[in-house]
Each structure stands twice: as C-alpha cells, then as structure tokens.
Amino acid sequence: MSTITEIWLENRRGGSALGIDESAPRVTVIADGPAPDGFVLELLHDDDSVERAEVDEARLVAWPFRALEPRAGGRLRARVGANGPWSSPLRVERGIADGWRVDFVSPSLSASPETRAAHLLRAEFDIAARGIAVADIVRARAYVSAHGVYELELNGDRVSDERLAPGWTSYRHRLRHQTFDVSGLLRGGANVLGAWLADGWYRGHLGFDGGLWDIYGTDVALLLQLDVVTRDGRRHEIPLTWRHHASPILAAGLYEGESYDARLLPRGWSEPGFDDIAWMDAAVLDRSRFAAAIEPPTAPPVRETERLRPVDVSRREGGRIRLDFGQNISGVLAIRPRAPRGTVIRLHHAEVIEDGELGTRPLRGATSVDSYVCSGEAPEEYTPRFTIHGFRYAEIEGWVGELRTGDVEALVIHTDMQRTGRFASSSPELDRLHENVVWSMRDNFVDVPTDCPQRDERMGWTGDIQVFAPTALRLYAAHGVLTGWLRDVAAEQHDDGHVPQFVPWVECGFPNHPTAAWGDAAVIVPWEMYRNDGDATILREQYDSMRAWVDLVDRLTGRTGHWSAGFQLGDWLDPAAPPERPGDSRTDRYLVATAYHARTARIMAQVAAVLGREADAAHYEEVAARAAAAFRDEYVAPSGRVVSDTPTSIALALTFDLLASDEQRRCAGDRLLELVAQDGFHISTGFVGTPIICDALMAAGGRDHAYRLLMQRELPSWLYSVSMGATTIWERWDSMLPDGSINPGDMTSFNHYALGAVADFMHRVVAGLVPDAPGWRHIRFAPQPGGGLQHASASYDSVHGPAAIAWRRDGSTITIRATVPAGSSGTVVLPATGEEVAVGPGVHEIVAPCWSAADDITSSERTDPAPPLHRPTMAERKAS
Ligand code: BGC
C-alpha cells in the first residue's frame, strides 16, 4: 500500500505553508508507490469543518476546498486511494494579506558609517488585561518584517531559528515578512516581545569599489503585528508599544563582521518584569510612507543547516589559534570561551592560506572579523547574529587557556532548501568536484543567488545564475528562491527592458548596460524552472519581463539580429585573459551577444507557445531566425568555420543550434575537437563557454574529448582545483596558482558556482539521467560511459517522485538500473547500439553490450585530431 511521503503547496517544496499568499494554493503530493485509485485530500478547517476531495492528479492539484480567508487555514492531509494511511498533516494558513494595522517602529533614524551598532527593542503587553486567558488561545501569530535584519524573542526565548530575516529583496519594491507561530510562547498576564535589529542589507555597507551605506534608507525599523485567536473564534490584534536601548552589538556589518560586548547585555531584557526605565520610546514611522509591497516569502528561510568541527587546530606564533574546518562555507563561528570578564576575543576568517597566513586579500573590503568581549559569567557562548562570512579557515585571537573539543564550531548558514539531486561515480575526484558544486551552491544561496559569499560583493549576478540554473534546480528545490528573485528582476528591470547585471541592483559604479548572457537570465532562469517542474505559472508571471528583455535586444540590434555594439562582458574570465582584465576573452563579445540573442528569442517563442500566445510565438520565432541568420552571416564561413575560432564560439554555434546545415555542423564540430585537442584537453573557455563545452563536444561526436576535458587535472581544468584541495568551485581556474599563491587578480574568489555548471552535464551525460519533457514527465536513461569510469549514478527527486539511474560496466557489458517515478514514463537508450527500450514506472535493470573502460579513449573518436604541439604555460597564456 503506497503512502504519502511529501506534501507541498505551489512550487514551495520543503517550505513552510504558514502565512502563504494564496487563497487557493495548488497542492502536490508524492507517494512512495503507484496510486491507481488517485488520492484523497482532506482539510480540517480551523472551525472544525472538514472538506474532502478525491483527485486523480498528484501534482499541482487545484485547491479543491473553500478559498482560505486571510489569517485562516487548517490541517491538510492526504492519502493514496480510499484506504491508504493518512499522511502527517501540514498546517496550511493564509498570511496577513492586507491586514496590517501597525506601523514601523525605529530605534535609529540615521547613523554614520562608523557607528553601525545593533539595537534592542522591547514591547511589554498583558494579555490578561485584554481579557485573554492562555488556555483560551487557539493560535497566536507574529507577522514581522524590518528595515534591516532582526531576530525576535518572546519572553526570553527565540521565536524562530531564521537568520538574517527578513532577507534581501529589492526593498524599494518588495519587503518580505515572516509569519511566526508564537502560540506556545505566550504566558498568562505579562509578556514581552524583544527584537534585535541591525543594518543588514537595508542600510548597511553594500557593494564593491568602496560600496555604499544607507542604500535603501537611513532608518532601521521593525514592523510587527501580534494576533491572537481565542477559542470563541475572536481575533485580537494586540497593541504594542516599543521601547529601545543600545544592544551589546556595538557594530554589525555583513561584510565587516560583528563586535559584541557581552558585559552590555541587559539581562532579562526580553522578559516581563525587566526595568526598562532607561529605555527610550521608539519612533513610529507611518507604514504608508514606504512604497514597498510587504510580501510573504516564496522560499524557505536562511538558517543554520550544519555544524562543523575543526579538522585541524594549531597554535600560531603570537598566540593565535588557527582552525581548519576542512570545508569552505558561508556562515559564522560559535565559540564557548572560559575567560575573565573583559577578555577580548577576535575571530578572523579566510578561505585559504597563503604564505602560511590567512589569505585575506581576496576579501577586499569585507574585513570579516568578529570580536567578542567576555562577560566572565559561565557558561558563555557567542555566535554572531548579523554578519556572515565565506571561510574555511579561522584564527582566534585572545583565547584564554586550552581550546577544547566543542569550544569552537563553524555554523553553515544559507537558504534551507530541500536537496533533490545526487551524483556518484567510480572517480573520487569527480565525486569531489560534484561535492564542491553542491557546496558552492549552498554557500551562495543566501537568500539571493549570489556570485560569492566572502568578498565585498555577494551580489545576485544575473549571468552566474543564468548558467548555473539547470544545476541549481537539479541539486536543490531552488524554485522558491528563484521565484522571489525573479520578481525582483522584473521589479528592477528598466522601462526599456534592460535587466541590471545584478539584482537587487546596488549603484556602486558598475556600468549598467544591457549585457548578453547576464540580462538573458530574465528569460532563461524561468524557462529552466518550467522545464524542471513543468509548471507554466512562472512563465506567466515573468512573461512581461521576459518579453521586455528580448524586445530590447531586438531593438538594440536595429532589428537586424546582430548585436554589434555597446557594453558586453562576453566570455567572461576566459583563462587566457590577464588577471586584471577578466573581460579580455579570445571570443568576440558580439558573437557571444548575438548567439545569446538567438537562443533567448527562441526560448521566448517556446514560452509563448506554452502559454498559447500563438502570435507572439510566431513573432519571436522570426526574431530568433533573424538573429541566427545574422550570427551566420557575420561569424560563420559557408564551410562552417566560426570566427574567433575558439572553443566558446563553436560551442555556442553548436549547442544553440545556430548553424545552417549538417555540413556546417560537421565542420564546426571537427574544428572544436581539433582545438580542444590542440589545447591538450585543458579548459580554454570562460563563463559563457564552460557550461556548454562538454555538451558541444558530445554534439561533435567527441565523447572522449568531453571526458578528457572533464577528467583533466592540469591547469586550467575542473579537477585542477580538486587536486589543489578545493572544497568549493573557484571563480577562476587558477584562483590558486600551482605554487600555492593566490591569483594576483583583484577579483579572486574560491567560491563561485558559475564554473560548477558542469554538474548538470555529470547528471545528464555521465550518469545519463535526462529529463525529456517539462516536469520530468518523460525521462531518458542514456548513459555515455567514458573517462575510464566503472560506474556512475544519479538521482533526482522529481515532482512525480524519485527518478534514478545507476550503471556499472563489467568488461564489455553494462548494467543499467533505471528508476521511473509513478507519474512518468521512460526510455532507456543503450550506449553501444543506440537502441531504445521503453519503460514504465518502477525499477528496471537492463544488461547490454558496451565499450569497456579500457576502450574509452578511442571508442568515440570520429576524427583523429592533431595531438597538441605545445601546451602554453600559464605565463605564456598571460603574456598572450
Ligand atoms: C562577479 C561575477 C560576475 C562578474 C561580471 C564579478 O565581480 O563576481 O561573478 O558575473 O563580476 O562582471
């Protein structure tokens, strides 16, 4: 008998259903087996009435119950068929909607860059005085948001484990709020709500090249409405009067770190009975003064997801203690000092060690030092609240006595998405590479999909997530984060359709011009989301934004299709580009721009077709055809030779399907194989070429080339960083040079996910798990063994249930085990013959002939490319 293993609403897998926006959210259920009789959904409303519905579908089932009123809900559960066991219930509750009755309260209306302290706010209230007995409380909710970042306490207890709430959105347009269940924390009589409040992204230091303060406003402020519902069905909006005081956090900056003086904590400040005579009344800021829509989250919150203990501890000369956590993370330390009152402890962070010291130069303006002044009152524990660092190593300065196990831990902090995709193979290095991609995704999904977690940047760079989106959506249920981020993309898009290069946009001097591969994120990211879960809602929501971008580029080409002027980042970070000029790629930047225009316009046509907008579909087909023709006219010889003559240019032509004939494709493919071989199977592509190079090689019939590139260990290559001990994906192939020194470029991060987009290739081609229809309705199991691998496997928790593949070679046979989820069908493609075997839901094992691991090197060669004559050294590359 099948049981229900998961229930979620809309595309918020793994997210909370408390405080949602929709009055009729769609429901998806996952069963662990077939569901021939369909499902039963049941909602036990707050008023004890029960609604039941029999549904055939498991995915995105239209809400079959009465619409939810704001702040009302029920317990949703499901079962398979008429007799299956009920799932555990999910509390579904609509949010506050437009029921806000409170205003912002502020402890600080302005601050100078030097005085960025955090503040305490407290509001004491008596529920008995309002005629409420605790025993009569059915539920109590705190609806909370802030200008800044906050943490909430009720009667001395933390209300939630969320960090850096309310998160970062385009605050001018959208301000997120949280809904907390505080029913269990209220006491009879007097209660106290307490909030810690700091600058965060709202008015804190943000941006590169010096950055800015007060980007969204000069105030920090809290918005909190407390609602209590009693057994008689009445809702009480509890009036709150807020007072504020200095906090022990004397300085807090996301980049800078936090300074905390534990001696200054007013004990009991968030509990009843505390004497707040010395506290000041908070200023009240009329909510209507602020234009931003106050919205519930679309994604799970940022929280601590793991704790790491150091794998190595050493005392440094001068007394500092160095800790190696064995993993580059985004997060903070937790320390438990035992030291006399007034002892100052400083926590320094860095991703790497250079010349025996913490390599802090790549952090640029992000100081990343926390400091703590001990209270001397045991037991002491400190974890910074309002900062976050990208680090693997830390040094503790000022520690008194021995450092015992458990005295220091590293807290891994990021958006707490549900893991969906896994990969494993017979190569430990490949597995480590994959693991590094996973970590770079974790470390860079801190509310916004960012470029890096460590230096004075951490921006939602559009190009980075554009290339990484397929991988992101494989590894984690990232739809919620991306849905919210895309709303900001649309909100910050200029009237003419221009999409800023990073969103939320911070005006810190970066040329704000339409940029191919970056602005294209507005179209490609929602399209990838649709392909992943089959839900066209995101396309509908983003349609105007997507269309505006394509129309803008069409205009910029003068409707010729050839994007030939203006600012471009091109194949950013081509390994041949000098460290200080990362945009100096060997590939013509307008070739990149025109290729992307063709691709994005084609996607736009597909989007329009999915949404039934036939006229638009025809129009964008035409725009795409024009761009593809312009690409060929301008950059492709009739023979198929592509101008620039670089792997990136040919990879674009092949994977974006821009060539006119099989003959052209063959010529271009042969040349690609030649170039890659000539380069000694080293990477010679940047941000644009790297995510597609292996696919292009496969399209050119060069499976072996793709594997040699993938399994290459010498610089530049994916496994070079692995061989250097990397635990995340680097921004540059040579972020760390072979002699252990840090790349001299001003822009050198050890934690950028963009070049990790190859993980998608590992799932699709190495393991062979290929979604073949939107939402994984149909799956191809098409392993392409190579690289001497003996086995590989991948799994993906699709919206129909788990899909998986595992293959193992034994001499000249291969055993393929394919798992098809209940709502899907599959085709197993046998590697040696290309024969296709149709399979239905369930697990299938097929044994077939295959080239052996020993044959890998030659089996896929269609041409015999010239061997490399001379592999340029790094110095030569730079000089060129
Ligand atoms: C970021 C990149 C980004 C690039 C584009 C860098 O500073 O870290 O990932 O895409 O700038 O200019």
Side-chain angles (χ1 to χ4, degrees):
M1 174 64 69
S2 304
T3 54
I4 305 286
T5 53
E6 267 185 89
I7 311 182
W8 72 86
L9 303 180
E10 295 294 330
N11 67 6
R12 293 192 292 271
R13 187 176 206 169
S16 157
L18 192 67
I20 59 169
D21 220 7
E22 301 84 1
S23 55
R26 293 169 303 161
V27 183
T28 295
V29 293
I30 300 270
D32 63 1
D37 305 330
F39 301 87
V40 179
L41 300 181
E42 183 193 87
L43 186 71
L44 171 60
H45 286 275
D46 289 338
D47 62 8
D48 287 339
S49 61
V50 179
E51 287 185 278
R52 260 190 202 180
E54 288 173 22
V55 297
D56 299 331
E57 263 287 319
R59 206 177 64 90
L60 294 169
V61 178
W63 185 248
F65 310 120
R66 297 201 295 275
L68 297 172
E69 297 294 327
R71 290 178 274 186
R75 282 150 55 96
L76 174 68
R77 56 183 191 164
R79 73 179 180 207
V80 176
N83 304 312
W86 285 112
S87 67
S88 39
L90 174 73
R91 172 73 197 174
V92 176
E93 188 175 301
R94 188 132 174 245
I96 185 168
D98 54 6
W100 292 97
R101 302 275 176 275
V102 293
D103 285 312
F104 285 92
V105 287
S106 174
S108 164
L109 297 175
S110 66
S112 73
E114 296 78 44
T115 58
R116 297 298 170 138
H119 305 266
L120 297 177
L121 284 153
R122 79 188 294 276
E124 186 150 352
F125 56 97
D126 191 332
I127 58 169
R130 306 201 64 80
I132 303 170
V134 172
D136 287 337
I137 296 176
V138 180
R139 60 181 183 276
R141 300 287 182 259
Y143 302 99
V144 194
S145 188
H147 291 166
V149 282
Y150 72 89
E151 265 188 32
L152 195 63
E153 298 181 7
L154 179 50
N155 298 327
D157 288 318
R158 270 191 74 176
V159 159
S160 113
D161 58 2
E162 297 200 16
R163 282 182 168 267
L164 301 174
W168 189 17
T169 44
S170 291
Y171 294 133
R172 283 191 196 93
H173 307 277
R174 301 170 56 239
L175 178 64
R176 210 182 286 142
H177 77 82
Q178 283 69 39
T179 299
F180 298 121
D181 178 0
V182 293
S183 323
L185 294 174
L186 285 173
R187 298 179 191 160
N191 287 270
V192 173
L193 272 163
W196 298 76
L197 183 64
D199 289 7
W201 297 276
Y202 188 83
R203 76 166 191 187
H205 181 202
L206 206 54
F208 45 94
D209 288 339
L212 301 164
W213 276 263
D214 302 334
I215 291 176
Y216 299 98
T218 59
D219 63 302
V220 285
L222 181 77
L223 182 73
L224 192 154
Q225 180 159 324
L226 178 64
D227 284 6
V228 175
V229 176
T230 43
R231 214 177 296 180
D232 53 10
R234 283 194 306 149
R235 189 172 58 232
H236 311 256
E237 288 166 5
I238 311 289
L240 300 167
T241 306
W242 292 90
R243 292 167 67 73
H244 73 94
H245 192 267
S247 85
I249 300 177
L250 302 176
L254 292 166
Y255 295 162
E256 288 77 10
E258 190 175 282
S259 293
Y260 189 101
D261 188 338
R263 296 170 303 183
L264 303 179
L265 180 72
R267 298 272 158 204
W269 69 278
S270 63
E271 289 171 69
F274 175 83
D275 180 3
D276 65 7
I277 185 97
W279 290 44
M280 313 270 287
D281 289 340
V284 177
L285 308 179
D286 190 347
R287 207 179 61 249
S288 64
R289 271 178 46 189
F290 304 99
I294 303 172
E295 298 177 359
T298 55
V302 172
R303 38 167 95 95
E304 171 197 328
T305 62
E306 195 175 339
R307 281 188 180 225
L308 303 179
R309 291 257 166 108
V311 295
D312 190 44
V313 179
S314 55
R315 277 264 175 200
R316 313 267 305 136
E317 241 174 74
R320 280 193 184 191
I321 301 174
R322 177 175 298 166
L323 306 161
D324 174 3
F325 288 94
Q327 177 58 54
N328 201 13
I329 65 164
S330 63
V332 291
L333 297 177
I335 58 168
R336 289 176 203 90
R338 293 167 301 278
R341 188 176 176 81
T343 305
V344 181
I345 296 173
R346 285 204 175 76
L347 312 172
H348 305 255
H349 307 78
E351 293 185 289
V352 290
I353 302 292
E354 184 182 36
D355 295 332
E357 299 299 328
L358 292 182
T360 53
R361 181 177 54 82
L363 303 178
R364 299 193 310 214
T367 334
S368 307
V369 179
D370 302 322
S371 73
Y372 178 74
V373 183
C374 298
S375 69
E377 293 161 33
E380 273 194 91
E381 172 159 358
Y382 169 63
T383 305
R385 284 182 171 77
F386 297 127
T387 191
I388 186 158
H389 312 297
F391 68 102
R392 167 177 169 169
Y393 299 92
E395 280 186 4
I396 306 185
E397 191 186 341
W399 190 264
V400 176
E402 283 307 299
L403 190 81
R404 298 192 213 146
T405 310
D407 280 351
V408 184
E409 290 173 309
L411 313 189
V412 179
I413 295 171
H414 53 84
T415 300
D416 191 8
M417 300 164 291
Q418 187 167 317
R419 180 82 187 264
T420 47
R422 290 167 203 280
F423 171 90
S425 74
S426 55
S427 160
E429 286 167 288
L430 213 53
D431 290 1
R432 182 67 234 193
L433 174 68
H434 188 268
E435 195 56 16
N436 291 359
V437 180
V438 173
W439 272 104
S440 278
M441 172 161 180
R442 293 174 71 177
D443 298 342
N444 278 301
F445 271 66
V446 180
D447 215 50
V448 163
T450 63
D451 57 337
C452 57
Q454 74 299 83
R455 68 178 177 227
D456 54 357
E457 205 153 345
R458 315 181 192 183
M459 300 290 173
W461 281 95
T462 48
D464 303 40
I465 189 61
Q466 184 271 114
V467 297
F468 191 69
T471 304
L473 292 160
R474 265 289 166 123
L475 298 177
Y476 282 92
H479 294 78
V481 179
L482 296 176
T483 298
W485 182 76
L486 284 168
R487 287 185 190 166
D488 284 345
V489 168
E492 299 216 343
Q493 198 164 1
H494 297 195
D495 289 346
D496 67 358
H498 167 50
V499 176
Q501 288 94 337
F502 47 89
V503 174
W505 176 253
V506 172
E507 193 56 74
C508 51
F510 193 81
N512 194 4
H513 305 302
T515 308
W518 272 253
D520 290 290
V523 177
I524 294 173
V525 174
W527 178 243
E528 290 299 335
M529 291 167 71
Y530 165 70
R531 275 161 45 97
N532 180 279
D533 71 359
D535 182 7
T537 308
I538 193 72
L539 303 179
R540 229 167 273 125
E541 281 180 13
Q542 295 299 125
Y543 194 76
D544 289 343
S545 157
M546 300 164 99
R547 185 165 55 173
W549 168 256
V550 180
D551 292 350
L552 167 68
V553 179
D554 188 28
R555 286 196 305 278
L556 289 173
T557 72
R559 310 220 187 271
T560 63
H562 183 212
W563 194 354
S564 60
F567 178 85
Q568 291 296 342
L569 289 166
D571 191 22
W572 181 251
L573 277 171
D574 179 330
E580 287 310 335
R581 296 212 305 278
D584 282 4
S585 146
R586 286 167 294 188
T587 305
D588 187 301
R589 59 191 58 198
Y590 299 117
L591 178 153
V592 172
T594 305
Y596 257 97
H597 178 41
R599 175 177 183 220
T600 299
R602 199 175 291 155
I603 292 175
M604 199 62 223
Q606 288 171 275
V607 170
V610 169
L611 299 182
R613 295 169 176 250
E614 298 309 333
D616 283 5
H619 169 69
Y620 289 110
E621 278 295 355
E622 195 230 303
V623 175
R626 226 189 295 139
F631 181 89
R632 285 191 295 274
D633 286 352
E634 204 67 36
Y635 302 111
V636 186
S639 65
R641 180 67 78 120
V642 182
V643 160
S644 283
D645 201 29
T646 57
T648 293
S649 59
I650 303 174
L652 285 167
L654 287 174
T655 58
F656 290 7
D657 197 11
L658 301 175
L659 300 178
S661 64
D662 284 347
E663 195 37 46
Q664 278 198 343
R665 278 186 280 276
R666 199 185 143 74
C667 165
D670 287 351
R671 181 62 182 153
L672 179 63
L673 300 181
E674 209 167 71
L675 286 174
V676 168
Q678 265 174 17
D679 218 7
F681 304 96
H682 296 89
I683 286 279
S684 53
T685 44
F687 262 41
V688 163
T690 301
I692 55 175
I693 186 66
C694 288
D695 281 308
L697 288 168
M698 294 299 291
R703 186 184 61 244
D704 176 51
H705 281 64
Y707 271 101
R708 286 173 81 169
L709 205 59
L710 182 62
M711 309 288 279
Q712 174 65 267
R713 292 187 192 89
E714 288 174 0
L715 190 63
S717 69
W718 281 289
L719 294 187
Y720 165 74
S721 63
V722 172
S723 74
M724 293 291 285
T727 60
T728 38
I729 300 297
W730 296 349
E731 178 175 29
R732 298 171 182 267
W733 300 108
D734 56 351
S735 282
M736 178 171 280
L737 301 173
D739 65 4
S741 62
I742 297 171
N743 185 300
D746 170 49
M747 196 195 70
T748 298
S749 132
F750 292 86
N751 209 349
H752 256 62
Y753 51 52
L755 301 179
V758 69
D760 181 52
F761 177 85
M762 291 159 72
H763 284 246
R764 274 188 297 106
V765 180
V766 177
L769 188 60
V770 195
D772 201 25
W776 293 70
R777 268 267 178 240
H778 186 81
I779 303 165
R780 281 170 81 81
F781 299 87
Q784 293 285 325
L789 295 178
Q790 289 294 351
H791 59 83
S793 61
S795 63
Y796 176 70
D797 290 341
S798 82
V799 290
H800 298 292
I805 188 170
W807 60 258
R808 177 176 289 277
R809 284 194 284 185
D810 186 7
S812 53
T813 59
I814 185 167
T815 306
I816 303 168
R817 203 180 148 85
T819 307
V820 183
S824 305
S825 58
T827 303
V828 180
V829 187
L830 305 182
T833 57
E835 189 191 329
E836 301 197 346
V837 183
V839 287
V843 181
H844 311 272
E845 201 166 282
I846 295 177
V847 182
C850 185
W851 54 90
S852 73
D855 292 337
D856 277 348
I857 300 304
T858 51
S859 59
S860 71
E861 293 310 275
R862 186 158 56 68
T863 58
D864 186 15
L869 298 174
H870 167 65
R871 191 172 98 69
T873 61
M874 219 39 220
E876 283 168 337
R877 279 166 200 281
K878 276 180 202 157
S880 71

